[in-house]
Amino acid sequence: MQDRYVADVGDFGKFQLFRYLFNHTESPLDGKMLSQIWFMHDGEGEQNNDGRHIDYFERMAGADEYLEYSLMELIMRNRREVEELEKLKLLEHAQFFYDTVPKALEDRYLWLNKALMFSSRSQIVAVAPDNGMALKCLRKERSLALLTLAEDYSRKTYPHKYIFADEISYFYRLPYLEICIVYQHLGRCFSHDEQIGSLLQTLKKTYKYVVAIKHKPYSPRVFFFLCKSEVIEESLRLRLSSFVDRHADFWQLYP
């Protein structure tokens, strides 16, 4: 996560979804403690236009008026900073982990341990690296393989922009955890639906109860919900189905 991404269309989608899940008494996640792990870094060495999509307000008008106003005000005040999001109180029971992801592998393990301690008593943990899970594209097989911190760290030019498979497993095993939410930016390896299908299949082998929902505007992104039980998965899926019914132009739920 970088400050330049704050209040872009991706942020709007994330908070629109999370507010529907966490800020309503009829939701099964109402009152649950959320730890948002930001995977902060400064973007050194990058040359891209990420974070430029802030012209979405007219298109999203009426989806969540308080959220629209809050993010627009950040942009107007020229305060696109991650810590400003917490000050907006967009989520009722949330805490945010801002520590910068280090580049050296040995320091990464220290950072991970601190993030785990930070979120150790939360029922929900959401991880938000820029690009999502570290993956290897297997074009022949039309599938995606998960990479690990222990074995594949050097494969990535910018490893701080990813979460690795073993890191996900550490968060998932936290004692109070009910759901781990993993953000994923979709790549160009093959079609988006094939990517999502491949990742669902792979994740279900380890975590069994997995739900995926895609935010469609501009550059599509996916949230994978790794649930601890079938009961949690079923109640979450019902809530997400209701959300998609209201916002079908912008969201898609996967079976």
Side-chain angles (χ1 to χ4, degrees):
M1 180 62 173
Q2 303 175 47
D3 284 336
R4 63 182 172 133
Y5 297 161
V6 169
D8 72 355
V9 68
D11 250 5
F12 182 89
K14 180 202 301 287
F15 281 99
Q16 180 195 17
L17 175 62
F18 284 12
R19 281 167 56 80
Y20 191 83
L21 292 176
F22 294 105
N23 286 15
H24 296 272
T25 55
E26 64 271 23
S27 172
L29 302 189
D30 178 58
K32 306 285 187 183
M33 185 66 192
L34 166 69
S35 285
Q36 174 70 59
I37 311 299
W38 279 124
F39 282 68
M40 292 295 300
H41 68 98
D42 60 10
E44 181 183 352
E46 295 180 32
Q47 293 183 353
N48 57 51
N49 294 316
D50 291 352
R52 69 188 184 279
H53 294 305
I54 56 173
D55 56 347
Y56 58 85
F57 289 100
E58 185 175 346
R59 187 178 178 189
M60 307 294 183
D64 183 331
E65 291 183 359
Y66 180 78
L67 177 61
E68 294 163 33
Y69 172 81
S70 299
L71 296 186
M72 186 179 293
E73 196 224 1
L74 274 190
I75 293 170
M76 296 297 290
R77 290 195 292 117
N78 197 28
R79 294 303 300 269
R80 296 182 70 188
E81 301 167 13
V82 176
E83 293 190 13
E84 289 292 318
L85 290 171
E86 185 170 10
K87 295 176 185 177
L88 294 175
K89 303 293 183 184
L90 296 171
L91 299 170
E92 294 176 1
H93 304 284
Q95 58 180 4
F96 300 85
F97 184 74
Y98 300 108
D99 284 28
T100 299
V101 182
K103 294 178 182 177
L105 179 56
E106 58 271 24
D107 294 331
R108 175 72 170 251
Y109 280 110
L110 295 173
W111 175 91
L112 173 61
N113 187 60
K114 192 172 180 181
L116 291 167
M117 290 294 293
F118 176 85
S119 51
S120 62
R121 300 189 67 84
S122 296
Q123 293 101 339
I124 317 293
V125 174
V127 294
D130 287 359
N131 293 344
M133 292 174 278
L135 305 170
K136 181 181 180 181
C137 175
L138 305 173
R139 292 185 185 275
K140 264 189 182 178
E141 297 86 347
R142 310 293 286 182
S143 66
L144 296 164
L146 301 179
L147 303 181
T148 67
L149 194 64
E151 297 180 6
D152 303 300
Y153 191 73
S154 61
R155 283 178 177 264
K156 294 296 182 183
T157 305
Y158 302 112
H160 48 282
K161 293 170 71 71
Y162 299 89
I163 186 168
F164 290 79
D166 35 359
E167 293 178 301
I168 295 172
S169 70
Y170 288 131
F171 282 109
Y172 186 80
R173 295 201 300 265
L174 287 171
Y176 294 94
L177 187 101
E178 296 179 11
I179 301 173
C180 181
I181 306 171
V182 183
Y183 167 87
Q184 185 65 37
H185 184 82
L186 295 172
R188 299 175 182 174
C189 188
F190 34 84
S191 77
H192 290 164
D193 283 349
E194 285 180 289
Q195 290 178 59
I196 294 166
S198 173
L199 287 171
L200 274 172
Q201 185 178 36
T202 299
L203 290 168
K204 284 180 179 180
K205 288 177 183 176
T206 303
Y207 303 106
K208 193 172 181 179
Y209 308 111
V210 183
V211 183
I213 185 170
K214 180 173 76 172
H215 187 222
K216 297 187 282 186
Y218 298 101
S219 179
R221 55 200 60 82
V222 185
F223 297 88
F224 289 96
F225 292 76
L226 315 182
C227 306
K228 280 287 184 74
S229 73
E230 185 176 9
V231 171
I232 293 171
E233 179 199 5
E234 288 177 350
S235 62
L236 172 65
R237 189 176 290 278
L238 283 173
R239 184 64 180 169
L240 290 174
S241 295
S242 172
F243 178 72
V244 170
D245 286 345
R246 295 180 181 216
H247 307 289
D249 288 344
F250 307 117
W251 293 90
Q252 180 179 349
L253 184 62
Y254 285 76

